[in-house]
Amino acid sequence: MQEQQETTVTADHIKNVFARYCELYSAADVDGVVALYAPDATVEDPIGSAPYRGHAGIREFYAASAGSVLLEMDGRPRVVGNIGVGQLRATPKDSGMYIETTDLMVFNDEGLITSMTAYWSPDTIYYD
Amino acid sequence: MQEQQETTVTADHIKNVFARYCELYSAADVDGVVALYAPDATVEDPIGSAPYRGHAGIREFYAASAGSVLLEMDGRPRVVGNIGVGQLRATPKDSGMYIETTDLMVFNDEGLITSMTAYWSPDTIYYD
């Protein structure tokens, strides 16, 4: 279980990163998304899959889908110390379906994401 | 990080447990809430606090507040294998405030909750 830690990062910063994450990814700004991450960060999306590591790997992951998916918050992120947990909806364009995910992000003292874990599965995909 | 596991529990069961959890707790049915948990389960609410362990401890935790709080889902639970992640809103009656939490529940093959971890903090409390 991920434990929260003392941090100098503010809750407002973490909440804002979720909003920017959705905006940047939806706008296909892959550089902008990657810049939210620490250089040695990991992305495990969905949980249980092989993590992408570091800026190059993370860029590869987002570049594969950016521009073809609308990503929106579904409620407000929950923030505890250096952890943010955000419920999101990802809608691939012209697909007739959407994916409901919850993304758990851990932050370092510089306000960068050190790990992101996405909780979604075929059981959280819905059709219009 | 909590990893999901192969399980015989269905996603529909896990989604239903979140709905029943809200209903039972809001109705002050403490026995009903406790019965959702495995006998050796843990409740860490909020994350970072000392966990309550076992049915007796879990009963003590819920009995302290049941009947005075309305608990509602905020969107649909995300389910991955034996893990459910639900975004909730807890409204203490006549308080003028509400708490936004995300509860991560892990299930055993009998469909009982083996651990619940709640992600909320003073930064996720809002006032009407």
Side-chain angles (χ1 to χ4, degrees), chain A residues 60-82:
Chain A
E60 176 190 355
F61 171 69
Y62 287 104
S65 59
S68 62
V69 179
L70 173 66
L71 190 63
E72 302 165 292
M73 295 301 302
D74 178 11
R76 282 186 287 222
R78 282 45 169 160
V79 178
V80 185
N82 65 321

Side-chain angles (χ1 to χ4, degrees), chain A residues 101-123:
Chain A
T101 180
T102 291
D103 292 357
L104 190 154
M105 296 180 178
V106 180
F107 291 77
N108 66 17
D109 285 344
E110 285 70 51
L112 298 173
I113 307 163
T114 57
S115 72
M116 190 280 270
T117 307
Y119 292 79
W120 65 272
S121 73
D123 291 314

Side-chain angles (χ1 to χ4, degrees), chain A residues 28-51:
Chain A
D29 186 344
V30 175
D31 286 344
V33 172
V34 171
L36 300 176
Y37 283 92
D40 58 349
T42 58
V43 170
E44 186 177 338
D45 187 346
I47 182 172
S49 60

Side-chain angles (χ1 to χ4, degrees), chain B residues 36-87:
Chain B
L36 299 175
Y37 282 93
D40 57 348
T42 58
V43 171
E44 185 176 337
D45 186 347
I47 183 172
S49 61
Y52 290 81
R53 294 180 187 279
H55 274 183
I58 291 170
R59 179 183 308 275
E60 175 190 354
F61 171 69
Y62 287 104
S65 60
S68 64
V69 179
L70 174 66
L71 191 63
E72 301 165 292
M73 295 302 302
D74 178 11
R76 280 186 287 221
R78 283 41 169 163
V79 177
V80 187
N82 64 321
I83 299 175
V85 187
Q87 193 169 262

